[in-house]
Amino acid sequence: MLGLNGTPFQPATFQLTGIPGMQTGQAWVALVFCILYLISITGNLTILALVTGEPALHQPMYYFLSMLSLNDLGVSFSTLPTVLAVFCFNYHHVGFDACLVQMFFIHTFSFMESGILLAMSLDRFVAICDPLRYASVLTRNRILALGLGILAKSFTTLFPFPFLVKRLPFCKGNVLHHSYCLHPDLMKVACGDIRVNNIYGLFVVIFTYGVDSVFILLSYALILRAVLAIASREQRLKALNTCMSHICAVLAFYVPIIAVSMIHRFWKSAPPVVHVMMSSVYLFVPPMLNPIIYSVKTKEIRRTILQVFCKPQS
């Protein structure tokens, strides 16, 4: 469909949907989202403050944890404006260009999280399989280079997305099924030839989630082999325990992704509310759970929190 000036039709705004079919109870949903944001933002800021201010945490493992916390803050702040507008202020419209910007940042931070989890698995691999060279292999410069590489990879692979979407006409309406902008949701209301978008989207998913998950599994296969070679049962358990926080973070990130993919592939007739809720779990649960997981499962983080909040009064 072409506009009056012969250019592809693009709506001035998109209409965001809260939760399909839910006409009542929006106040409770708004409260839940506010609690999720509060826990996520407070928890990740706390992790950043602890790692920055405590010299004992100036180690490679906690530098990677800081990257994860920064990225989780990025995910939260990317969705926050439209989610709060929809559920707290009942404002359901977002500008066309603003929607593309939000889509870019949501997907970029999501793909960055996968890369950071891969870098953290490398950290655990070196710590367990080659502990004597741990500090010399994972220097600050190399950690910084890894972080910048993850950022560059995610940015460059996602950069074409807004332009690929912007070239399309939108003749199937302007109503999106979420309270934020996602590329698959935009494709449902676009018309014209969307094959390039779908093919490039599949390439990006395989190039990021697919490759990263394979290398994470490979690193843990090598870690498990090294752990099983340790004679002492106590030392084996101690080595595995250092990986538990990262394993929980990987599961919290990849299980919702797999669930969303399975629903889209094998349960296409699922009610819209199912797709919306699973996408919400994928975007909101990992940023909330990661600081909790590392605070509970990591002894050094736990000790630092107790030192900060239980200091004796002078």
mmCIF file of all heavy atoms in Angstrom, residues 95-130:
data_model
loop_
_atom_site.group_PDB
_atom_site.id
_atom_site.type_symbol
_atom_site.label_atom_id
_atom_site.label_comp_id
_atom_site.label_asym_id
_atom_site.label_seq_id
_atom_site.Cartn_x
_atom_site.Cartn_y
_atom_site.Cartn_z
ATOM 1 N N GLY A 95 5.022 6.541 19.032
ATOM 2 C CA GLY A 95 5.363 7.004 17.697
ATOM 3 C C GLY A 95 6.072 5.936 16.881
ATOM 4 O O GLY A 95 6.735 5.054 17.428
ATOM 5 N N PHE A 96 5.933 6.033 15.575
ATOM 6 C CA PHE A 96 6.516 5.025 14.683
ATOM 7 C C PHE A 96 8.026 4.915 14.885
ATOM 8 O O PHE A 96 8.570 3.819 15.106
ATOM 9 C CB PHE A 96 6.201 5.376 13.227
ATOM 10 C CG PHE A 96 6.722 4.378 12.231
ATOM 11 C CD1 PHE A 96 6.008 3.232 11.937
ATOM 12 C CD2 PHE A 96 7.934 4.588 11.577
ATOM 13 C CE1 PHE A 96 6.485 2.302 11.020
ATOM 14 C CE2 PHE A 96 8.421 3.667 10.666
ATOM 15 C CZ PHE A 96 7.693 2.527 10.386
ATOM 16 N N ASP A 97 8.734 6.046 14.829
ATOM 17 C CA ASP A 97 10.190 6.013 14.987
ATOM 18 C C ASP A 97 10.596 5.618 16.407
ATOM 19 O O ASP A 97 11.588 4.898 16.599
ATOM 20 C CB ASP A 97 10.785 7.374 14.629
ATOM 21 C CG ASP A 97 10.704 7.670 13.136
ATOM 22 O OD1 ASP A 97 10.710 6.708 12.341
ATOM 23 O OD2 ASP A 97 10.611 8.855 12.766
ATOM 24 N N ALA A 98 9.834 6.084 17.400
ATOM 25 C CA ALA A 98 10.129 5.708 18.782
ATOM 26 C C ALA A 98 9.987 4.199 18.976
ATOM 27 O O ALA A 98 10.760 3.570 19.709
ATOM 28 C CB ALA A 98 9.207 6.457 19.743
ATOM 29 N N CYS A 99 9.010 3.614 18.292
ATOM 30 C CA CYS A 99 8.811 2.168 18.367
ATOM 31 C C CYS A 99 10.008 1.423 17.784
ATOM 32 O O CYS A 99 10.465 0.423 18.351
ATOM 33 C CB CYS A 99 7.525 1.793 17.624
ATOM 34 S SG CYS A 99 7.035 0.067 17.794
ATOM 35 N N LEU A 100 10.529 1.918 16.666
ATOM 36 C CA LEU A 100 11.695 1.274 16.050
ATOM 37 C C LEU A 100 12.922 1.378 16.955
ATOM 38 O O LEU A 100 13.708 0.435 17.063
ATOM 39 C CB LEU A 100 11.991 1.906 14.691
ATOM 40 C CG LEU A 100 10.915 1.756 13.609
ATOM 41 C CD1 LEU A 100 11.432 2.292 12.276
ATOM 42 C CD2 LEU A 100 10.477 0.314 13.458
ATOM 43 N N VAL A 101 13.083 2.525 17.610
ATOM 44 C CA VAL A 101 14.213 2.699 18.527
ATOM 45 C C VAL A 101 14.089 1.737 19.703
ATOM 46 O O VAL A 101 15.068 1.084 20.103
ATOM 47 C CB VAL A 101 14.281 4.164 19.025
ATOM 48 C CG1 VAL A 101 15.300 4.297 20.152
ATOM 49 C CG2 VAL A 101 14.639 5.098 17.874
ATOM 50 N N GLN A 102 12.888 1.633 20.262
ATOM 51 C CA GLN A 102 12.696 0.712 21.383
ATOM 52 C C GLN A 102 12.943 -0.726 20.956
ATOM 53 O O GLN A 102 13.603 -1.494 21.676
ATOM 54 C CB GLN A 102 11.280 0.843 21.946
ATOM 55 C CG GLN A 102 11.062 -0.029 23.186
ATOM 56 C CD GLN A 102 9.644 -0.002 23.694
ATOM 57 O OE1 GLN A 102 8.703 -0.174 22.923
ATOM 58 N NE2 GLN A 102 9.475 0.220 24.999
ATOM 59 N N MET A 103 12.431 -1.103 19.781
ATOM 60 C CA MET A 103 12.663 -2.452 19.260
ATOM 61 C C MET A 103 14.154 -2.743 19.156
ATOM 62 O O MET A 103 14.627 -3.812 19.574
ATOM 63 C CB MET A 103 12.011 -2.586 17.886
ATOM 64 C CG MET A 103 12.264 -3.908 17.189
ATOM 65 S SD MET A 103 12.024 -3.816 15.394
ATOM 66 C CE MET A 103 13.459 -2.846 14.904
ATOM 67 N N PHE A 104 14.912 -1.783 18.628
ATOM 68 C CA PHE A 104 16.358 -1.974 18.466
ATOM 69 C C PHE A 104 17.043 -2.220 19.799
ATOM 70 O O PHE A 104 17.839 -3.155 19.949
ATOM 71 C CB PHE A 104 16.956 -0.748 17.770
ATOM 72 C CG PHE A 104 18.457 -0.742 17.743
ATOM 73 C CD1 PHE A 104 19.149 -1.553 16.860
ATOM 74 C CD2 PHE A 104 19.181 0.064 18.614
ATOM 75 C CE1 PHE A 104 20.544 -1.556 16.830
ATOM 76 C CE2 PHE A 104 20.564 0.066 18.597
ATOM 77 C CZ PHE A 104 21.253 -0.742 17.703
ATOM 78 N N PHE A 105 16.729 -1.407 20.804
ATOM 79 C CA PHE A 105 17.414 -1.538 22.085
ATOM 80 C C PHE A 105 16.987 -2.795 22.839
ATOM 81 O O PHE A 105 17.826 -3.454 23.469
ATOM 82 C CB PHE A 105 17.183 -0.298 22.944
ATOM 83 C CG PHE A 105 18.060 0.859 22.569
ATOM 84 C CD1 PHE A 105 17.536 1.986 21.953
ATOM 85 C CD2 PHE A 105 19.422 0.818 22.815
ATOM 86 C CE1 PHE A 105 18.359 3.044 21.596
ATOM 87 C CE2 PHE A 105 20.257 1.873 22.466
ATOM 88 C CZ PHE A 105 19.710 2.994 21.850
ATOM 89 N N ILE A 106 15.709 -3.160 22.772
ATOM 90 C CA ILE A 106 15.267 -4.382 23.452
ATOM 91 C C ILE A 106 16.004 -5.591 22.887
ATOM 92 O O ILE A 106 16.563 -6.413 23.634
ATOM 93 C CB ILE A 106 13.739 -4.567 23.315
ATOM 94 C CG1 ILE A 106 12.993 -3.541 24.161
ATOM 95 C CG2 ILE A 106 13.337 -5.980 23.744
ATOM 96 C CD1 ILE A 106 11.489 -3.589 24.003
ATOM 97 N N HIS A 107 16.028 -5.714 21.563
ATOM 98 C CA HIS A 107 16.694 -6.869 20.949
ATOM 99 C C HIS A 107 18.206 -6.812 21.145
ATOM 100 O O HIS A 107 18.842 -7.853 21.363
ATOM 101 C CB HIS A 107 16.344 -6.943 19.465
ATOM 102 C CG HIS A 107 14.933 -7.362 19.197
ATOM 103 N ND1 HIS A 107 14.405 -8.545 19.649
ATOM 104 C CD2 HIS A 107 13.918 -6.744 18.533
ATOM 105 C CE1 HIS A 107 13.141 -8.656 19.269
ATOM 106 N NE2 HIS A 107 12.825 -7.565 18.591
ATOM 107 N N THR A 108 18.781 -5.625 21.082
ATOM 108 C CA THR A 108 20.236 -5.510 21.259
ATOM 109 C C THR A 108 20.656 -5.965 22.650
ATOM 110 O O THR A 108 21.596 -6.762 22.808
ATOM 111 C CB THR A 108 20.698 -4.059 21.020
ATOM 112 O OG1 THR A 108 20.411 -3.681 19.674
ATOM 113 C CG2 THR A 108 22.199 -3.927 21.263
ATOM 114 N N PHE A 109 19.971 -5.486 23.681
ATOM 115 C CA PHE A 109 20.325 -5.890 25.049
ATOM 116 C C PHE A 109 20.051 -7.375 25.272
ATOM 117 O O PHE A 109 20.792 -8.032 26.021
ATOM 118 C CB PHE A 109 19.567 -5.035 26.065
ATOM 119 C CG PHE A 109 20.116 -3.646 26.226
ATOM 120 C CD1 PHE A 109 19.323 -2.537 25.963
ATOM 121 C CD2 PHE A 109 21.419 -3.445 26.644
ATOM 122 C CE1 PHE A 109 19.831 -1.246 26.099
ATOM 123 C CE2 PHE A 109 21.939 -2.163 26.778
ATOM 124 C CZ PHE A 109 21.147 -1.063 26.514
ATOM 125 N N SER A 110 19.009 -7.913 24.655
ATOM 126 C CA SER A 110 18.726 -9.346 24.799
ATOM 127 C C SER A 110 19.841 -10.185 24.194
ATOM 128 O O SER A 110 20.295 -11.172 24.790
ATOM 129 C CB SER A 110 17.393 -9.689 24.134
ATOM 130 O OG SER A 110 16.323 -9.033 24.767
ATOM 131 N N PHE A 111 20.307 -9.802 23.006
ATOM 132 C CA PHE A 111 21.391 -10.550 22.375
ATOM 133 C C PHE A 111 22.708 -10.342 23.126
ATOM 134 O O PHE A 111 23.534 -11.254 23.198
ATOM 135 C CB PHE A 111 21.533 -10.135 20.912
ATOM 136 C CG PHE A 111 20.411 -10.631 20.045
ATOM 137 C CD1 PHE A 111 19.733 -9.771 19.193
ATOM 138 C CD2 PHE A 111 20.027 -11.949 20.089
ATOM 139 C CE1 PHE A 111 18.693 -10.222 18.399
ATOM 140 C CE2 PHE A 111 18.982 -12.418 19.294
ATOM 141 C CZ PHE A 111 18.310 -11.551 18.448
ATOM 142 N N MET A 112 22.913 -9.157 23.686
ATOM 143 C CA MET A 112 24.119 -8.922 24.478
ATOM 144 C C MET A 112 24.155 -9.823 25.705
ATOM 145 O O MET A 112 25.221 -10.302 26.106
ATOM 146 C CB MET A 112 24.195 -7.456 24.906
ATOM 147 C CG MET A 112 24.717 -6.511 23.844
ATOM 148 S SD MET A 112 24.822 -4.813 24.440
ATOM 149 C CE MET A 112 26.039 -4.999 25.750
ATOM 150 N N GLU A 113 22.984 -10.056 26.310
ATOM 151 C CA GLU A 113 22.954 -10.920 27.499
ATOM 152 C C GLU A 113 23.451 -12.315 27.171
ATOM 153 O O GLU A 113 24.178 -12.927 27.957
ATOM 154 C CB GLU A 113 21.535 -10.982 28.064
ATOM 155 C CG GLU A 113 21.413 -11.826 29.303
ATOM 156 C CD GLU A 113 20.563 -11.186 30.378
ATOM 157 O OE1 GLU A 113 20.164 -10.022 30.229
ATOM 158 O OE2 GLU A 113 20.312 -11.854 31.386
ATOM 159 N N SER A 114 23.085 -12.821 26.002
ATOM 160 C CA SER A 114 23.564 -14.134 25.586
ATOM 161 C C SER A 114 25.087 -14.143 25.473
ATOM 162 O O SER A 114 25.752 -15.086 25.918
ATOM 163 C CB SER A 114 22.926 -14.506 24.251
ATOM 164 O OG SER A 114 23.403 -15.748 23.786
ATOM 165 N N GLY A 115 25.651 -13.079 24.885
ATOM 166 C CA GLY A 115 27.105 -12.994 24.759
ATOM 167 C C GLY A 115 27.804 -12.886 26.093
ATOM 168 O O GLY A 115 28.882 -13.469 26.309
ATOM 169 N N ILE A 116 27.214 -12.136 27.026
ATOM 170 C CA ILE A 116 27.812 -11.996 28.352
ATOM 171 C C ILE A 116 27.791 -13.328 29.102
ATOM 172 O O ILE A 116 28.758 -13.692 29.784
ATOM 173 C CB ILE A 116 27.083 -10.901 29.155
ATOM 174 C CG1 ILE A 116 27.331 -9.531 28.508
ATOM 175 C CG2 ILE A 116 27.559 -10.872 30.608
ATOM 176 C CD1 ILE A 116 26.460 -8.420 29.064
ATOM 177 N N LEU A 117 26.699 -14.068 28.986
ATOM 178 C CA LEU A 117 26.636 -15.389 29.624
ATOM 179 C C LEU A 117 27.684 -16.331 29.038
ATOM 180 O O LEU A 117 28.259 -17.155 29.760
ATOM 181 C CB LEU A 117 25.237 -15.982 29.456
ATOM 182 C CG LEU A 117 24.127 -15.291 30.267
ATOM 183 C CD1 LEU A 117 22.766 -15.850 29.882
ATOM 184 C CD2 LEU A 117 24.355 -15.448 31.762
ATOM 185 N N LEU A 118 27.959 -16.212 27.735
ATOM 186 C CA LEU A 118 29.027 -17.007 27.132
ATOM 187 C C LEU A 118 30.380 -16.602 27.708
ATOM 188 O O LEU A 118 31.209 -17.463 28.040
ATOM 189 C CB LEU A 118 29.020 -16.822 25.617
ATOM 190 C CG LEU A 118 30.190 -17.461 24.850
ATOM 191 C CD1 LEU A 118 30.254 -18.955 25.091
ATOM 192 C CD2 LEU A 118 30.072 -17.164 23.355
ATOM 193 N N ALA A 119 30.623 -15.293 27.847
ATOM 194 C CA ALA A 119 31.886 -14.823 28.433
ATOM 195 C C ALA A 119 32.036 -15.313 29.872
ATOM 196 O O ALA A 119 33.138 -15.673 30.305
ATOM 197 C CB ALA A 119 31.956 -13.300 28.376
ATOM 198 N N MET A 120 30.935 -15.352 30.614
ATOM 199 C CA MET A 120 30.985 -15.838 31.999
ATOM 200 C C MET A 120 31.265 -17.333 32.053
ATOM 201 O O MET A 120 31.914 -17.818 32.991
ATOM 202 C CB MET A 120 29.667 -15.513 32.709
ATOM 203 C CG MET A 120 29.422 -14.017 32.858
ATOM 204 S SD MET A 120 27.817 -13.619 33.573
ATOM 205 C CE MET A 120 28.183 -13.775 35.328
ATOM 206 N N SER A 121 30.798 -18.077 31.045
ATOM 207 C CA SER A 121 31.135 -19.505 31.007
ATOM 208 C C SER A 121 32.620 -19.694 30.706
ATOM 209 O O SER A 121 33.254 -20.623 31.221
ATOM 210 C CB SER A 121 30.279 -20.228 29.963
ATOM 211 O OG SER A 121 30.664 -19.879 28.639
ATOM 212 N N LEU A 122 33.196 -18.803 29.885
ATOM 213 C CA LEU A 122 34.642 -18.830 29.649
ATOM 214 C C LEU A 122 35.395 -18.560 30.945
ATOM 215 O O LEU A 122 36.398 -19.223 31.248
ATOM 216 C CB LEU A 122 35.014 -17.788 28.590
ATOM 217 C CG LEU A 122 36.511 -17.544 28.378
ATOM 218 C CD1 LEU A 122 37.184 -18.781 27.823
ATOM 219 C CD2 LEU A 122 36.735 -16.358 27.438
ATOM 220 N N ASP A 123 34.902 -17.611 31.733
ATOM 221 C CA ASP A 123 35.511 -17.311 33.029
ATOM 222 C C ASP A 123 35.511 -18.544 33.915
ATOM 223 O O ASP A 123 36.527 -18.885 34.542
ATOM 224 C CB ASP A 123 34.735 -16.173 33.689
ATOM 225 C CG ASP A 123 35.091 -15.998 35.147
ATOM 226 O OD1 ASP A 123 36.140 -15.388 35.433
ATOM 227 O OD2 ASP A 123 34.320 -16.471 36.015
ATOM 228 N N ARG A 124 34.380 -19.251 34.001
ATOM 229 C CA ARG A 124 34.305 -20.460 34.838
ATOM 230 C C ARG A 124 35.201 -21.567 34.283
ATOM 231 O O ARG A 124 35.810 -22.323 35.061
ATOM 232 C CB ARG A 124 32.860 -20.955 34.918
ATOM 233 C CG ARG A 124 31.891 -20.046 35.662
ATOM 234 C CD ARG A 124 32.283 -19.868 37.128
ATOM 235 N NE ARG A 124 33.300 -18.815 37.287
ATOM 236 C CZ ARG A 124 34.170 -18.759 38.297
ATOM 237 N NH1 ARG A 124 34.191 -19.701 39.212
ATOM 238 N NH2 ARG A 124 35.026 -17.769 38.385
ATOM 239 N N PHE A 125 35.304 -21.663 32.956
ATOM 240 C CA PHE A 125 36.160 -22.690 32.351
ATOM 241 C C PHE A 125 37.624 -22.469 32.739
ATOM 242 O O PHE A 125 38.326 -23.410 33.148
ATOM 243 C CB PHE A 125 36.004 -22.652 30.828
ATOM 244 C CG PHE A 125 37.032 -23.459 30.089
ATOM 245 C CD1 PHE A 125 36.939 -24.844 30.045
ATOM 246 C CD2 PHE A 125 38.096 -22.835 29.449
ATOM 247 C CE1 PHE A 125 37.897 -25.599 29.367
ATOM 248 C CE2 PHE A 125 39.050 -23.575 28.773
ATOM 249 C CZ PHE A 125 38.956 -24.959 28.729
ATOM 250 N N VAL A 126 38.095 -21.226 32.622
ATOM 251 C CA VAL A 126 39.492 -20.937 32.967
ATOM 252 C C VAL A 126 39.720 -21.126 34.467
ATOM 253 O O VAL A 126 40.743 -21.675 34.892
ATOM 254 C CB VAL A 126 39.868 -19.501 32.538
ATOM 255 C CG1 VAL A 126 41.291 -19.166 32.980
ATOM 256 C CG2 VAL A 126 39.731 -19.342 31.037
ATOM 257 N N ALA A 127 38.770 -20.695 35.293
ATOM 258 C CA ALA A 127 38.923 -20.790 36.750
ATOM 259 C C ALA A 127 39.044 -22.233 37.215
ATOM 260 O O ALA A 127 39.784 -22.518 38.173
ATOM 261 C CB ALA A 127 37.739 -20.113 37.441
ATOM 262 N N ILE A 128 38.353 -23.157 36.560
ATOM 263 C CA ILE A 128 38.349 -24.551 37.008
ATOM 264 C C ILE A 128 39.386 -25.391 36.266
ATOM 265 O O ILE A 128 40.070 -26.211 36.875
ATOM 266 C CB ILE A 128 36.935 -25.158 36.835
ATOM 267 C CG1 ILE A 128 35.975 -24.497 37.816
ATOM 268 C CG2 ILE A 128 36.952 -26.672 37.041
ATOM 269 C CD1 ILE A 128 34.543 -24.898 37.656
ATOM 270 N N CYS A 129 39.522 -25.167 34.986
ATOM 271 C CA CYS A 129 40.420 -26.006 34.179
ATOM 272 C C CYS A 129 41.865 -25.526 34.181
ATOM 273 O O CYS A 129 42.790 -26.312 33.942
ATOM 274 C CB CYS A 129 39.910 -26.086 32.741
ATOM 275 S SG CYS A 129 38.276 -26.851 32.600
ATOM 276 N N ASP A 130 42.091 -24.243 34.437
ATOM 277 C CA ASP A 130 43.459 -23.710 34.455
ATOM 278 C C ASP A 130 43.575 -22.625 35.525
ATOM 279 O O ASP A 130 43.862 -21.467 35.220
ATOM 280 C CB ASP A 130 43.809 -23.139 33.076
ATOM 281 C CG ASP A 130 45.310 -22.990 32.871
ATOM 282 O OD1 ASP A 130 46.069 -23.333 33.809
ATOM 283 O OD2 ASP A 130 45.721 -22.537 31.799
#
